[in-house]
Amino acid sequence: MVTNYTDEKHIQILISLLKANSIRKVIASPGTTNITFIGSIQTDPFFEIYSSVDERSAAYIACGLAAESGEPVVLSCTGATASRNYYSGLTEAYYRALPVLAITSSQAMSHTGQYFPQMLDRTVVAKDIVRHSVTIEPVDIVDDEWKVTNQINMALLELTRNGGGPVHINCVTRYSGDFSVTKLPNVRVIKRILLKDEFPVLAKGKIGVYVGNHVRWSVELTASVNDFCAAHNAVVFCDHTSNYKGKYKVLDALFGSQDDVRPDILDWDLLVHIGYVSGAYSGVHAKEVWRVNPDGELRDVFGKTTKIFQMEELDFFNHYKDGEKEDDSFLRECKAMYERLYQKIPELPFSNLWCAKEVSMKIPENSVLHLGILNSLRSWNYFDIPDSVSAFSNTGGFGIDGDISSLVGASLADPNKLYFGVFGDLAFFYDMNVIGNRHVGRNVRIMLINNGRGTEFRNYSHPAQRFGDDADKFMAAAGHFGNKSSILVKHYAEDLGYEYLSASNKNEFLLASSRFLTVEFTDKPMLFEVFTDSKEESDALYIMRNLKADVKGGAKHLVKDILGQDNVTRLKKLLGK
């Protein structure tokens, strides 16, 4: 017998993932809305299907079958009140931790509340009937397929996580009558690995660790990651907020952000993802991603996660750190590429980037650096900082509303340590009230990059740039906060008891920065205001992203559609191209 499946892609993905997870038992109730699902599985010999007209009874049948067999059991019903009749049985499953998967089929979610017949609102479920609930909708674009795949994987993982329990998938259908599909798609199956489980074999090929925002590392974790990299010829791609200071550190921003080329070293076979939100916007791609974190949650920022290791990072790396290799050729390749590009950097215009290049390695030892999102963090990620300096940024919520407050809060933890912060003008003025807090100590030093508008929106690569000066009206923020007043912040800072420094050109910056970076504790906190021009900020970024240094790789997407040819020509003249 030929098995035919619906042409609705999200339902094909659902069926494929059920099969990949060996979930075969189904209790089906009659209806129209679930025909695309039931009609697809009833001729597939993999599935073991039973019929129950009464959905209330069906849910209890699923409880009995799950308890006796020890396997997950699927429920399938149509729209209207059918799903309401699952409540009693799912409550039983919830309090007995039985793996029952309720798949409730539905019309388009846009019909909710519009008096369409047989359409009920299933977006809110009682707290004690299921552990997890998702709605999957038809696939129209690639991103839809990624979303549906993740949603279903998360739901199936919850069936057995931490003791297990019932889960709900609300499956929207278009009532397709096309059952001509004879082969299900290959799907990305995600498995959760616990410390007690058998660990998968590490893939062969190009391996790397990617670290997002991370707390300070223990000596033991750093050593274990170093051993892992040594054993598998791996590297650690990171930005400053990763706080990894080991031998295998690679700041990938310089070669990962080039406009014209995508280096081959950004393509990996396996990526081990640790840490939290990164502001580095790395260009790394991997065939497969393993996520390692004690929370055991799916965080699929790279779109290729296949394993979630619910454990401490140290346990993971200790398990995989032994191997036959003592090879660091991948590390040497990455560092050589960074060095080639770094040597190609010409004299930059006076900008956040130029300031970072000049002083990043002069931050006093054992101090702490806070970087504002987005421009400051990006600018400083191109250049290394001393290994003894920890770095942080508010990448969690990724807003400008509390960058300086976070710096001040950190500085209260250790009055005998210097705390530096680099922030743009919008972030500063948004959060400026905190510098008047009476607890601010003399260990705080703030560098304010004041370009007068929030230069991010005027950068050559930003979508708002196509509007030219009109972007300043409502997209950027030109003209606010004194319009780059030379005395506004000076008076504010000095009246609050700060030592105020300023610079409007490179010579003034170099002179003032020696005072700003002094290792000695001064009598007052410092505020160093650096006046830059948004055009020069944009030009500096263009230069950094268009370095030619014999980088092997494929072409990247260019930004001509944003810039327009005239601007492309002008910017290329900066590099003599």
Side-chain angles (χ1 to χ4, degrees):
M1 179 185 293
V2 176
T3 300
N4 286 7
Y5 303 100
T6 177
D7 67 343
E8 294 193 14
K9 186 66 175 288
H10 65 307
I11 296 176
Q12 295 174 26
I13 294 171
L14 172 60
I15 296 169
S16 290
L17 285 171
L18 289 175
K19 297 179 74 168
N21 285 276
S22 298
I23 300 174
R24 65 182 68 245
K25 292 178 167 56
V26 180
I27 311 298
S29 295
T32 302
T33 316
N34 57 337
I35 283 179
T36 46
F37 175 64
I38 294 299
S40 295
I41 67 171
Q42 67 178 11
T43 58
D44 189 328
F46 172 85
F47 291 98
E48 178 185 319
I49 308 174
Y50 303 90
S51 176
S52 175
V53 175
D54 185 332
E55 287 86 9
R56 185 179 61 167
S57 179
Y60 279 107
I61 292 173
C63 288
L65 184 56
E68 183 65 23
S69 67
E71 298 177 30
V73 177
V74 175
L75 290 168
S76 173
C77 73
T78 187
T81 57
S83 63
R84 298 290 198 260
N85 292 314
Y86 283 160
Y87 265 53
S88 296
L90 290 178
T91 302
E92 178 72 15
Y94 184 90
Y95 285 105
R96 290 175 58 192
L98 298 173
V100 176
L101 174 61
I103 301 176
T104 61
S105 296
S106 172
Q107 301 174 36
M109 296 305 292
S110 60
H111 291 181
T112 304
Q114 303 304 310
Y115 284 0
F116 279 80
Q118 301 189 55
M119 181 62 188
L120 304 182
D121 187 346
R122 293 177 180 151
T123 57
V124 178
V125 295
K127 292 177 64 176
D128 61 349
I129 65 166
V130 293
R131 295 161 47 90
H132 191 76
S133 178
V134 298
T135 293
I136 61 171
E137 301 194 62
V139 171
D140 292 317
I141 59 176
V142 173
D143 193 57
D144 291 340
E145 185 171 344
W146 169 80
K147 178 183 177 182
V148 166
T149 301
N150 276 350
Q151 286 178 310
I152 298 172
N153 269 296
M154 285 189 286
L156 299 186
L157 286 169
E158 287 300 313
L159 283 168
T160 55
R161 183 184 185 188
N162 295 333
V167 170
H168 172 227
I169 295 178
N170 190 45
C171 182
V172 176
T173 180
R174 289 175 175 161
Y175 300 94
S176 173
D178 185 344
F179 286 84
S180 62
V181 176
T182 58
K183 184 178 181 182
L184 291 170
N186 292 323
V187 291
R188 178 166 51 95
V189 183
I190 302 173
K191 298 291 186 180
R192 183 177 283 113
I193 312 298
L194 304 179
L195 194 57
K196 65 179 179 60
D197 295 334
E198 181 178 351
F199 280 48
V201 176
L202 202 67
K204 301 294 184 182
K206 193 182 295 184
I207 299 174
V209 180
Y210 185 88
V211 190
N213 196 311
H214 199 284
V215 297
R216 291 186 180 91
W217 292 52
S218 67
V219 173
E220 293 79 10
L221 179 58
T222 301
S224 186
V225 170
N226 288 347
D227 290 343
F228 172 88
C229 292
H232 304 290
N233 190 23
V235 296
V236 181
F237 273 22
C238 51
D239 73 346
H240 294 319
T241 68
S242 74
N243 284 305
Y244 170 71
K245 305 295 183 179
K247 171 184 175 182
Y248 295 88
K249 169 184 175 182
V250 175
L251 290 176
D252 60 300
L254 192 58
F255 50 77
S257 64
Q258 294 300 302
D259 284 343
D260 293 341
V261 67
R262 173 185 170 73
D264 293 339
I265 59 174
L266 293 173
D267 296 319
W268 298 355
D269 293 291
L270 175 65
L271 182 155
V272 179
H273 181 209
I274 64 175
Y276 298 94
V277 180
S278 172
Y281 295 95
S282 175
V284 66
H285 289 175
K287 295 177 182 177
E288 184 177 5
V289 175
W290 290 1
R291 169 70 179 164
V292 182
N293 194 277
D295 67 11
E297 298 290 345
L298 173 59
R299 314 292 188 188
D300 192 36
V301 67
F302 296 99
K304 296 293 178 126
T305 304
T306 60
K307 305 287 189 303
I308 304 168
F309 292 80
Q310 185 173 339
M311 61 190 65
E312 297 293 336
E313 295 162 353
L314 183 60
D315 291 324
F316 173 87
F317 288 107
N318 278 346
H319 179 86
Y320 287 107
K321 70 179 183 180
D322 297 323
E324 299 179 359
K325 292 184 179 179
E326 279 292 340
D327 184 1
D328 64 354
S329 59
F330 189 19
L331 174 67
R332 287 185 278 109
E333 181 184 0
C334 291
K335 287 188 175 295
M337 178 170 290
Y338 180 92
E339 188 60 28
R340 288 198 303 272
L341 285 168
Y342 188 89
Q343 294 302 322
K344 287 283 186 176
I345 300 174
E347 181 66 16
L348 297 171
F350 187 53
S351 58
N352 203 336
L353 278 159
W354 181 87
C355 295
K357 185 174 185 294
E358 289 298 317
V359 302
S360 61
M361 285 302 294
K362 298 176 183 177
I363 302 292
E365 296 287 342
N366 301 308
S367 59
V368 178
L369 175 64
H370 277 242
L371 297 166
I373 61 95
L374 178 62
N375 187 43
S376 295
L377 178 60
R378 176 181 55 223
S379 296
W380 285 66
N381 274 336
Y382 284 115
F383 311 104
D384 212 349
I385 59 176
D387 285 346
S388 64
V389 175
S390 300
F392 300 92
S393 181
N394 285 0
T395 61
F398 225 90
I400 65 172
D401 41 338
D403 293 346
I404 305 175
S405 293
S406 292
L407 167 69
V408 170
S411 72
L412 301 177
D414 190 348
N416 297 311
K417 182 182 291 187
L418 290 174
Y419 289 80
F420 291 85
V422 182
F423 310 104
D425 51 298
L426 296 192
F428 175 83
F429 286 110
Y430 204 113
D431 199 21
M432 66 187 294
N433 65 311
V434 75
I435 73 170
N437 189 291
R438 61 187 172 87
H439 296 290
V440 176
R442 63 192 186 119
N443 60 337
V444 172
R445 298 181 186 176
I446 298 168
M447 183 184 296
L448 162 60
I449 307 295
N450 190 349
N451 55 72
R453 58 174 31 90
T455 196
E456 187 63 32
F457 309 98
R458 297 302 306 274
N459 280 335
Y460 80 98
S461 56
H462 195 278
Q465 178 60 22
R466 68 172 70 247
F467 295 91
D469 291 340
D470 284 342
D472 285 339
K473 294 178 180 178
F474 304 108
M475 300 170 197
H480 293 306
F481 310 118
N483 197 26
K484 286 177 66 172
S485 167
S486 62
I487 59 173
L488 176 64
V489 175
K490 171 180 169 63
H491 284 309
Y492 184 68
E494 290 181 338
D495 289 349
L496 290 174
Y498 284 71
E499 180 179 343
Y500 177 82
L501 306 166
S502 70
S504 297
N505 56 55
K506 294 179 179 180
N507 289 334
E508 291 177 358
F509 179 88
L510 294 174
L511 183 63
S513 64
S514 62
R515 171 65 177 171
F516 183 72
L517 298 171
T518 180
V519 298
E520 304 297 329
F521 274 79
T522 56
D523 294 334
K524 303 176 181 180
M526 290 187 189
L527 198 155
F528 182 14
E529 186 171 18
V530 182
F531 295 97
T532 67
D533 177 78
S534 64
K535 177 180 174 298
E536 291 192 328
E537 291 276 6
S538 177
D539 289 349
L541 182 62
Y542 179 85
I543 291 170
M544 291 296 296
R545 287 181 167 178
N546 288 272
L547 303 172
K548 301 295 186 181
D550 188 28
V551 177
K552 182 182 178 182
K556 287 182 67 175
H557 173 68
L558 300 178
V559 293
K560 290 181 181 178
D561 57 329
I562 295 175
L563 288 174
Q565 188 58 51
D566 290 345
N567 280 324
V568 171
T569 302
R570 181 186 67 79
L571 288 169
K572 284 186 174 182
K573 288 181 179 178
L574 289 170
L575 299 178
K577 296 180 181 179

